[in-house]
Amino acid sequence: MKILKMAFKGYRNLKENELEFSPGINFVFGKNAQGKTNLMEAILMFTGARSFRGTKDADLVSFESDFARIDGKFFFENTEHEITIIFSGGKRKAIFDDITKSYPTNIIGRFKTVLFSPVHLSLVKDGPDYRRRFLDAAICQLKPTYTKTVSKYNQVLRQRNSFLKMFNQSKSGFELLDVWDSKLSDLGAKMIKERLEYLKIFKNKVFSFYNDISGGKEKIEVKYSFSVNKNINLGLSLEEIKKIMISKLEKTHESDIKTGSTSCGPHKDDLEILINEKPAKYFGSQGQQRSVVLAFKLAEAMILEEFSGESPVVLLDDVMSELDDFRKKYLLKNLGKRQVFITSCDKSDLKKLEIGKLFKVENGKIMQVKNF
Ligand SMILES: Nc1ncnc2c1ncn2[C@@H]1O[C@H](COP(=O)(O)OP(=O)(O)O)[C@@H](O)[C@H]1O
Ligand SMILES: [Mg+2]
């Protein structure tokens, strides 16, 4: 998987430009707030996913323009592909090999990347939302149909919640709640099943990467934490999960009606990360938390590669300065032959790297340079 060329216009602060990338390491250097992350984000847009910074599509367009356009030329699935994303009027449009897609998310699963940025430290430190999003995004790239399951689930969840609120006022149509429970559990069980399948493979990979990084001194465990039942195991069938979810939804009818929200389901589940049997969130040192994210990202990349037979493009946005020498070396060693983008405001990160191409970013202008 390679991005060969890219052109952009009106994207955030990036000045209109065309760039050709190296199939190896692309090192993007620049001071703070010049546009390095904007470039990484633009590359990520070709996956069909939304901005990892949670920015609305309308805000991706330059303050000085009313639309943005990014064009990329790629090599994957043994052939060249072209992807164009156009942002205008608060909406996105994706064109894949000259075919306009009705939903930009329809291209998810084609161009594959793994992004590693300091925001990922939230995976360990912050709320469950980050871990759910990580898991869902990783599965979406692997199995594009999962994207539809998640969006249908969210839709039914919103409908069930509106029904709960309505019922709380009108007190009529209670029997309809069973219909919503059944619909939600159907999709919820599918989501949970996919997550558990992913986790089965993911947790072992994370274990071995983390074991390596810690020099065999620490053990990491990643567990799925269920909002419907704490004692669930990874081997449950779809039907079993659905049954458990329905019965829990029934039990929580009363409180759900009071709050107008759904208290259990995949939207409330979490991943538990334990280092030597203690929650990494509360007891992990900064170094350990960074190692966890590193192990997560390497595992994500490896699974994508094993399942699709293609190595994802790796985007390392400003993470080199977050890692000590040992972790840096470990990361680079494990990136192998993948195409990599490294952004940094520290030239010393260049040391010992076999750089393919160097780019300098200044006030949104990106220039290829021979040296700094
Ligand atoms: N929609 C936009 N239009 C123009 N400039 C933007 C837009 N969104 C963000 N920016 C600018 O982009 C810059 C930040 O770029 P970023 O890529 O995050 O910097 P860094 O090089 O530190 O990674 C800021 O100066 C910000 O004002
Ligand atoms: Mg940045």
Side-chain angles (χ1 to χ4, degrees):
M1 181 102 2
K2 305 268 187 276
I3 169 161
L4 311 171
K5 264 190 195 178
M6 166 177 192
F8 39 84
K9 190 179 177 170
Y11 191 88
R12 295 230 197 222
N13 77 330
L14 301 180
K15 302 268 184 295
E16 183 174 354
N17 208 339
E18 230 185 282
L19 303 171
E20 266 184 57
F21 299 125
S22 158
I25 296 182
N26 294 275
F27 191 89
V28 182
F29 168 81
K31 296 199 181 111
N32 275 325
Q34 300 305 305
K36 302 183 296 298
T37 301
N38 291 345
L39 178 67
M40 295 303 105
E41 183 189 53
I43 295 176
L44 205 90
M45 285 295 148
F46 290 122
T47 62
R50 299 197 169 273
S51 166
F52 68 98
R53 292 193 279 192
T55 313
K56 279 190 270 150
D57 283 349
D59 297 332
L60 300 174
V61 177
S62 156
F63 305 141
E64 289 150 23
S65 171
D66 50 10
F67 80 99
R69 177 185 172 118
I70 52 175
D71 293 278
K73 195 167 196 180
F74 304 83
F75 188 85
F76 54 81
E77 297 159 4
N78 293 319
T79 176
E80 282 193 6
H81 292 284
E82 285 176 355
I83 302 174
T84 296
I85 314 275
I86 297 168
F87 304 85
S88 100
K91 290 210 170 86
R92 267 190 304 168
K93 191 166 97 178
I95 305 167
F96 190 98
D97 290 340
D98 292 329
I99 297 166
T100 302
K101 299 285 176 183
S102 39
Y103 298 102
T105 46
N106 283 355
I107 65 170
I108 289 181
R110 305 303 292 273
F111 171 56
K112 299 181 183 75
T113 70
V114 170
L115 166 78
F116 184 5
S117 114
V119 300
H120 288 113
L121 284 173
S122 296
L123 271 173
V124 188
K125 289 191 303 195
D126 293 328
D129 194 35
Y130 290 94
R131 290 177 288 280
R132 284 192 295 262
R133 266 197 280 160
F134 166 80
L135 205 53
D136 287 344
I139 303 170
C140 281
Q141 289 210 76
L142 213 58
K143 291 190 177 174
T145 52
Y146 183 71
T147 317
K148 289 200 184 80
T149 311
V150 175
S151 81
K152 270 194 220 147
Y153 177 84
N154 288 329
Q155 193 188 353
V156 172
L157 180 64
R158 280 193 300 273
Q159 288 169 331
R160 184 181 189 267
N161 290 344
S162 333
F163 176 79
L164 291 167
K165 285 186 193 110
M166 225 167 60
F167 179 79
N168 199 16
Q169 302 220 316
S170 70
K171 306 278 185 245
S172 68
F174 187 75
E175 65 287 353
L176 278 176
L177 202 45
D178 288 343
V179 180
W180 288 117
D181 288 1
S182 168
K183 276 191 181 178
L184 196 70
S185 314
D186 226 5
L187 293 158
K190 272 190 198 153
M191 258 177 91
I192 292 168
K193 181 75 184 151
E194 291 288 5
R195 286 181 181 176
L196 295 182
E197 292 287 319
Y198 187 81
L199 209 62
K200 257 194 236 168
I201 308 162
F202 181 73
K203 65 196 216 82
N204 294 335
K205 302 237 187 286
V206 169
F207 182 90
S208 80
F209 281 122
Y210 194 90
N211 189 57
D212 263 12
I213 302 167
S214 72
K217 290 197 199 89
E218 294 166 6
K219 279 194 170 52
I220 188 170
E221 258 182 291
V222 187
K223 291 184 184 164
Y224 195 80
S225 165
F226 250 100
S227 56
V228 290
N229 186 328
K230 289 282 165 245
N231 307 313
I232 222 100
N233 68 61
L234 293 186
L236 282 185
S237 74
L238 199 61
E239 273 311 305
E240 285 166 323
I241 300 171
K242 189 179 166 182
K243 254 194 215 151
I244 294 172
M245 191 166 160
I246 282 209
S247 86
K248 179 75 178 191
L249 283 173
E250 273 169 12
K251 284 194 193 108
T252 50
H253 274 169
E254 217 173 295
S255 56
D256 280 5
I257 290 168
K258 260 189 213 139
T259 57
S261 64
T262 302
S263 54
C264 70
H267 66 289
K268 292 281 183 189
D269 293 350
D270 196 0
L271 284 181
E272 214 182 330
I273 307 166
L274 306 167
I275 299 172
N276 289 344
E277 289 162 29
K278 291 202 176 67
K281 182 172 175 174
Y282 305 113
F283 299 103
S285 68
Q286 273 207 345
Q288 285 172 322
Q289 296 186 346
R290 284 175 167 75
S291 298
V292 172
V293 183
L294 188 55
F296 266 44
K297 289 282 140 184
L298 287 169
E300 183 192 356
M302 200 173 185
I303 294 174
L304 254 183
E305 195 154 312
E306 284 180 5
F307 279 76
S308 70
E310 284 196 277
S311 48
V313 172
V314 178
L315 308 171
L316 304 175
D317 186 30
D318 223 5
V319 289
M320 298 308 260
S321 53
E322 298 269 336
L323 301 174
D324 59 19
D325 272 352
F326 174 75
R327 290 186 182 87
K328 237 185 256 185
K329 270 192 211 133
Y330 186 79
L331 171 62
L332 294 168
K333 189 182 84 189
N334 279 282
L335 289 177
K337 297 232 176 308
R338 298 177 182 131
Q339 185 181 35
V340 184
F341 289 79
I342 300 175
T343 74
S344 178
C345 49
D346 185 358
K347 284 177 200 165
S348 67
D349 285 339
L350 268 170
K351 270 187 279 174
K352 296 190 195 128
L353 283 178
E354 258 180 67
I355 300 289
K357 279 192 178 181
L358 290 175
F359 297 91
K360 191 172 175 175
V361 191
E362 229 169 50
N363 195 18
K365 190 161 178 246
I366 304 175
M367 296 153 281
Q368 197 196 325
V369 290
K370 288 254 181 305
N371 48 44
F372 296 120

